Amino acid sequence: MTAASEALSSAGPRHIAIVMDGNGRWASKRMLPRTAGHHQGVEALRRVVTACVSRQVKVLTVFAFSSENWKRPADEVSGLMTLLAMVLAKEVPKLHKEGVRLQFVGAREYLSERVQIALLDAESHTRSNTALLLNVCFNYGGRWDIAQAAAKLAAAREPITEESLAQTLSTAHCGDPDLIIRTGGEMRLSNFLLWQAAYSELVFSDALWPDFDAQLLDDAIGAYLARERRFGLTSDQVSDAAERPS
Ligand code: FPP
């Protein structure tokens, strides 16, 4: 393990979120269909889940299918749906053994009944696991999330405040990410966790997602550890708070 991963138990990110970008380019470079890139992306996700467990990261949230991804070619969309069902069948027992709890985040009512049942089964099978919470954002969009939370509050005639909205977002069960990583060289959020990213540290990697591994995760964590998180305070205020006994 590197110095970055050793430092994790004290100062490392509790919650990491990842935009797993670059599967298509990884495949194109090898003259393979884009779905081959997504299949390889699953392998990268497996590596990163294991690395997060051993580094005592408590929550990993990944962007697997965005609200906008429906606009992709039909064969790629159906390939991703099939991949999700396949991954669940193959990986859930292994994830369960590793103590990983799976939670799906997004508008699942638009998914096929078969997929919806598979999601519910995976969630209930792994519900009591505590090593790592793996949130898979599927048919997710940050704008959808804020709108659905506001709509729920309005329907219940509840006041819409920062606190009530945060408690009604689809990630209310796990809080905001400390670190958001985006692979694939692009530097944008692409409608991922828009509200929740308010104070997240952003780290961008040029690696294409299928090439991402534990070393690159440690590099991102190292960059995170080198940052000063101020949450709107001054640097002096942050230092004073850190020196005060808790
Ligand atoms: C973005 O790369 C990636 C996706 C839209 C899909 C992400 C899915 C996985 C990593 C597989 C895990 C999935 C499941 C079902 C758990 P891109 O296709 O936009 O790549 P490009 O920018 O190179 O075209």
Side-chain angles (χ1 to χ4, degrees):
M1 235 190 243
T2 64
S5 55
E6 271 169 19
L8 250 179
S9 45
S10 53
R14 189 190 74 89
H15 181 172
I16 297 179
I18 307 183
V19 180
M20 308 180 289
D21 196 17
N23 294 349
R25 278 166 285 163
W26 184 94
S28 300
K29 273 176 150 184
R30 290 162 178 78
M31 316 281 261
L32 293 168
R34 293 177 57 84
T35 43
H38 298 316
H39 279 256
Q40 212 54 41
V42 173
E43 298 305 317
L45 181 53
R46 283 297 295 136
R47 288 195 292 272
V48 170
V49 165
T50 305
C52 283
V53 171
S54 66
R55 284 153 182 75
Q56 293 165 43
V57 172
K58 295 316 286 179
V59 186
L60 175 66
T61 300
V62 295
F63 207 3
F65 190 87
S66 81
S67 317
E68 290 72 36
N69 286 156
W70 293 107
K71 296 176 203 146
R72 291 194 171 198
D75 61 336
E76 184 172 346
V77 171
S78 68
L80 279 163
M81 297 295 157
T82 308
L83 181 61
L84 176 63
M86 250 174 55
V87 167
L88 290 177
K90 185 167 157 244
E91 300 293 339
V92 169
K94 294 189 215 162
L95 291 169
H96 184 53
K97 270 198 188 142
E98 286 179 64
V100 177
R101 174 182 158 203
L102 262 167
Q103 181 70 47
F104 293 90
V105 172
R108 61 176 82 188
E109 63 272 24
Y110 299 102
L111 306 174
S112 74
E113 200 184 331
R114 186 175 69 109
V115 170
Q116 287 191 46
I117 290 169
L119 303 190
L120 282 172
D121 282 351
E123 286 171 344
S124 66
H125 191 61
T126 60
R127 179 153 295 142
S128 51
N129 294 336
T130 56
L132 175 76
L133 167 64
L134 173 60
N135 292 310
V136 178
C137 295
F138 205 90
N139 198 20
Y140 175 86
R143 291 178 176 176
W144 162 84
D145 201 0
I146 296 166
Q148 68 80 27
K152 266 188 198 154
L153 291 168
R157 297 186 179 278
E158 297 281 345
I160 297 178
T161 64
E162 288 197 23
E163 289 71 25
S164 67
L165 259 177
Q167 283 161 17
T168 316
L169 290 172
S170 60
T171 54
H173 61 290
C174 62
D176 297 344
D178 301 298
L179 165 63
I180 298 181
I181 301 168
R182 180 175 183 139
T183 61
E186 313 282 4
M187 296 189 195
R188 55 177 169 259
L189 282 177
S190 298
N191 203 14
F192 187 45
L193 302 178
L194 295 182
W195 177 285
Q196 299 87 333
Y199 285 103
S200 306
E201 296 298 328
L202 308 182
V203 172
F204 299 98
S205 166
D206 286 333
L208 301 176
W209 175 249
D211 293 326
F212 203 76
D213 59 13
Q215 181 57 59
L216 291 168
L217 178 70
D218 283 343
D219 292 348
I221 291 170
Y224 169 88
L225 291 171
R227 307 259 178 97
E228 179 186 54
R229 301 189 74 192
R230 290 199 290 276
F231 298 96
L233 303 179
T234 67
S235 193
D236 286 346
Q237 286 174 306
V238 173
S239 311
D240 287 350
E243 279 160 21
R244 223 175 292 133
S246 52

